[in-house]
């Protein structure tokens, strides 16, 4: 290449680079203002000190998941000592609490910025009166009651299924889709139900992927997790095991050394968790995720699109970036289902589509999850995809790029030309 041509292509490249810089300017401005668990850590630690004092906790208590679980906050009286509540909020929490169960781990509570009434963590864990007065939505929109061919099993797909191992969680999400199972008491599936579920898997050789969830799979004792994984490892056609847990978000101290050691003995193991906002990605959450990743566990995230919590393209992009930094691969964004008591979290599908448009091309493919709607009656996860294939001719297609540039693209048979 001549010097002249080199200079020229460099200039063109530099012009293009400048244009690309412009494509990200609005995100960079917005992202500076988005609170993350790392940026807010000092404030969170102050909250932690205060909560520990009120609950009379030692530092050993705080980092013990059993202590966190035993000390979940679940009444307005106790909550009012830990976070400022107006008298109307106090009443509303009590009213809603009489219908819907709630409980918040002290750790998750410490993430809340008390000065922000629409704090994304607060919205997810503290009950509001909207839940109580919600008359819309179904108790069981996915018809899970009719997709259970054996005790504790939900089967909706040809080659994989769920074992619902417990209804317990470290924190009961206000947007929970399985509210009807949460009830008032913690309930682990009885051993004989799990045995029947394992027997079903044993007898159905097309099942190659078993997802243990609930509730929260990490609410089980380590030895129970070890037992279930050992039993699954005995079934030759079970190729992979997955566990669903929100504890890296709500109670990261659950990921103790013994659990990590157990999981590492049962690879391949995949853990899917549920971060919804960058504020939840804290140094302690990072430690839990890095321990799991270090043991060889592959981590994925299933976010739920929630009005005011994360229904914003910049917040979602920032969340996905924060997740990749702690070795968690964004897997799904779920469109929130119609569940009684959650309609204040509802978004329109257009909002989800806009988020997806703001991801592809603008950021790493690794930071792009699939956006899903759950079809009615348990007919399965259904991807909502922006259209990039916008025309289909005989030997050509028309495509649209992430920047909305339109191109024709040849689409030929192997080896052959036209005709
Ligand atoms: C979500 C789900 C799975 C797992 O689906 P993937 O898309 O493979 O992650 C399996 N079984 C049931 C019943 C489910 O709801």
């Amino acid at each position: 290449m001549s010097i002249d041509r080199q200079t020229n292509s460099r200039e063109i490249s530099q012009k293009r680079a400048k244009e690309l810089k412009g494509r990200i300017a609005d995100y960079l401005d917005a992202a500076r203002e988005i609170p993350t668990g790392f940026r807010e850590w000092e404030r969170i630690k102050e909250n932690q000190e205060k909560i520990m004092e009120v609950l009379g906790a030692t530092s050993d208590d705080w980092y013990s998941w059993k202590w966190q679980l035993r000390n979940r906050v679940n009444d307005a009286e106790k909550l009012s000592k830990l976070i400022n509540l107006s008298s109307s909020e106090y009443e509303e929490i009590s009213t809603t609490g009489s219908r819907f169960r709630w409980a918040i781990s002290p750790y998750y509570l410490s993430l809340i910025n008390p000065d922000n009434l629409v704090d994304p963590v607060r919205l997810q864990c503290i009950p509001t009166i909207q839940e109580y007065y919600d008359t819309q939505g179904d108790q069981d929109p996915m018809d899970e009651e009719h997709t259970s061919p054996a005790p504790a099993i939900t089967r909706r797909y040809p080659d994989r299924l769920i074992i619902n191992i417990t209804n317990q969680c470290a924190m009961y999400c206000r947007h929970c889709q399985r509210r009807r199972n949460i009830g008032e008491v913690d309930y682990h599936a009885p051993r004989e139900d799990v045995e029947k579920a394992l027997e079903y898997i044993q007898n159905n050789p097309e099942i190659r992927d078993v997802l243990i969830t609930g509730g929260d799979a990490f609410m089980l004792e380590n030895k129970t997790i070890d037992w279930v994984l050992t039993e699954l490892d005995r079934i030759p056609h079970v190729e992979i095991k997955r566990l669903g847990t929100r504890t890296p978000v709500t109670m990261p101290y659950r990921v103790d050394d013994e659990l990590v050691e157990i999981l590492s003995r049962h690879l391949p193991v995949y853990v899917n968790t549920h971060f919804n906002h960058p504020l939840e990605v804290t140094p302690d959450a990072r430690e839990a995720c890095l321990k799991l990743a270090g043991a060889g566990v592959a981590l994925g995230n299933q976010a739920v699109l929630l009005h005011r919590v994360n229904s914003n393209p910049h917040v979602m992009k920032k969340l996905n970036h924060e997740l990749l930094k702690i070795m968690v691969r964004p897997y799904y964004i779920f469109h929130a289902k119609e569940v009684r008591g959650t309609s204040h979290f509802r978004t329109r599908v257009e909002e989800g589509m806009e988020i997806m448009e703001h991801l592809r091309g603008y950021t790493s493919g690794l930071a792009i999850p699939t956006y899903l709607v759950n079809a009615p009656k348990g007919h399965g996860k259904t991807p909502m995809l922006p259209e990039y294939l916008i025309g289909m001719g005989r030997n050509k297609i028309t495509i649209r790029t992430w920047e909305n540039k339109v191109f024709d693209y040849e689409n030929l048979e192997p080896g052959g030309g036209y005709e």
Side-chain angles (χ1 to χ4, degrees):
M1 229 194 286
S2 74
I3 298 288
D4 267 9
R5 275 195 56 202
Q6 265 189 25
T7 312
N8 192 290
S9 33
R10 188 75 75 215
E11 270 169 17
I12 292 170
S13 307
Q14 282 167 353
K15 193 165 161 244
R16 174 63 172 151
K18 203 171 160 200
E19 189 180 30
L20 292 173
K21 241 177 170 3
R23 294 260 183 271
I24 201 177
D26 62 336
Y27 170 68
L28 293 179
D29 279 346
R32 266 192 291 276
E33 306 299 318
I34 299 171
T36 72
F38 276 82
R39 284 178 188 160
E40 300 278 307
W41 193 233
E42 238 173 83
R43 175 187 63 67
I44 293 168
K45 293 300 270 185
E46 281 168 26
N47 292 348
Q48 179 188 324
E49 292 289 320
K50 183 181 160 195
I51 296 170
M52 283 173 66
E53 201 182 306
V54 174
L55 298 181
T58 64
S59 161
D60 280 354
D61 288 337
W62 185 265
Y63 294 107
S64 145
W65 72 272
K66 293 275 170 73
W67 181 89
Q68 288 277 339
L69 204 55
R70 268 199 314 276
N71 286 278
R72 285 180 301 177
V73 177
N74 58 7
D75 69 80
E77 175 66 34
K78 197 159 158 197
L79 184 63
S80 69
K81 296 201 174 85
L82 302 170
I83 191 166
N84 286 335
L85 297 178
S86 68
S87 59
S88 69
E89 277 175 311
Y90 187 100
E91 290 307 316
E92 290 176 11
I93 291 166
S94 306
T95 304
T96 298
S98 69
R99 179 172 300 171
F100 294 116
R101 186 178 190 189
W102 65 282
I104 310 167
S105 66
Y107 165 82
Y108 197 64
L109 200 58
S110 76
L111 307 187
I112 295 175
N113 179 351
D115 299 328
N116 182 5
L117 279 179
V118 288
D119 179 274
V121 170
R122 183 189 193 109
L123 292 174
Q124 289 181 74
C125 67
I126 297 185
T128 58
I129 202 69
Q130 285 121 305
E131 297 177 43
Y132 187 80
Y133 288 119
D134 185 15
T135 55
Q136 297 169 0
D138 203 332
Q139 294 263 29
D140 179 18
M142 293 189 296
D143 204 24
E144 288 181 333
E145 306 296 343
H146 296 124
T147 48
S148 181
I153 282 185
T154 305
R155 181 171 183 182
R156 258 187 241 145
Y157 298 107
D159 70 339
R160 59 204 186 282
L161 52 72
I162 286 179
I163 307 180
N164 292 291
I165 202 97
T166 177
N167 77 345
Q168 194 182 15
C169 292
M171 183 280 282
Y172 294 103
C173 304
R174 303 330 300 156
H175 54 279
C176 181
Q177 58 168 19
R178 298 213 171 93
R179 295 186 148 215
R180 71 179 195 291
N181 293 341
I182 296 309
E184 286 310 310
V185 286
D186 292 336
Y187 172 89
H188 293 326
R191 195 175 171 106
E192 56 267 29
D193 280 8
V194 180
E195 278 167 356
K196 284 190 187 120
L198 290 164
E199 201 178 296
Y200 179 86
I201 296 164
Q202 172 88 48
N203 292 336
N204 288 273
E206 69 282 6
I207 302 301
R208 43 160 287 286
D209 171 1
V210 175
L211 171 50
I212 303 162
T213 185
D216 191 311
F218 282 7
M219 289 295 97
L220 299 181
E221 294 291 335
N222 288 339
K223 63 177 192 314
T224 313
I225 294 176
D226 196 12
W227 170 67
V228 179
L229 292 175
T230 303
E231 292 302 313
L232 288 170
D233 280 346
R234 289 213 176 100
I235 305 175
H237 53 268
V238 173
E239 298 172 358
I240 61 170
K241 286 88 56 192
R242 295 198 253 177
L243 297 128
T245 177
R246 207 180 178 191
T247 57
V249 187
T250 55
M251 197 173 70
Y253 319 123
R254 172 61 187 96
V255 181
D256 60 18
D257 294 343
E258 190 183 56
L259 175 63
V260 165
E261 185 276 325
I262 289 167
L263 297 178
S264 75
R265 279 193 281 108
H266 295 287
L267 301 181
V269 171
Y270 292 77
V271 166
N272 265 351
T273 187
H274 175 180
F275 287 91
N276 280 334
H277 192 280
L279 184 55
E280 296 168 333
V281 183
T282 67
D284 287 359
R286 173 179 186 270
E287 195 177 324
C289 291
L290 291 195
K291 269 195 203 170
L292 289 167
V297 172
L299 292 163
N301 189 61
Q302 309 192 159
V304 181
L305 182 60
L306 299 172
H307 178 60
R308 294 201 298 184
V309 173
N310 59 14
S311 55
N312 172 298
H314 300 315
V315 169
M316 267 301 182
K317 194 191 292 180
K318 183 71 179 164
L319 171 64
N320 294 332
H321 291 168
E322 291 297 296
L323 290 174
L324 289 177
K325 284 157 66 181
I326 63 166
M327 296 299 286
V328 178
R329 168 81 157 91
Y331 181 54
Y332 285 148
I333 295 175
F334 285 109
H335 190 73
K337 295 174 200 79
E338 290 290 311
V339 180
R340 178 78 45 87
T342 66
S343 70
H344 56 294
F345 286 119
R346 186 193 291 148
T347 63
R348 290 179 59 110
V349 171
E350 292 91 313
E351 293 175 72
M353 296 302 272
E354 196 196 340
I355 287 169
M356 298 316 291
E357 288 273 2
H358 275 80
L359 292 174
R360 178 63 62 195
Y362 290 88
T363 193
S364 321
L366 282 171
I368 308 179
T370 304
Y371 174 44
L372 295 179
V373 161
N374 264 291
K377 302 276 167 212
H379 282 279
K381 300 180 175 74
T382 308
M384 300 291 106
L385 305 166
E387 292 278 7
Y388 294 98
L389 174 60
I390 58 174
M392 195 90 184
R394 202 153 90 84
N395 283 315
K396 81 172 172 59
I397 58 170
T398 307
I399 59 169
R400 166 181 79 89
T401 71
W402 61 279
E403 296 165 287
N404 269 322
K405 293 177 181 165
V406 174
F407 295 97
D408 283 339
Y409 187 96
E410 273 193 319
N411 181 30
L412 304 176
E413 297 283 345
Y418 291 101
E419 302 305 311

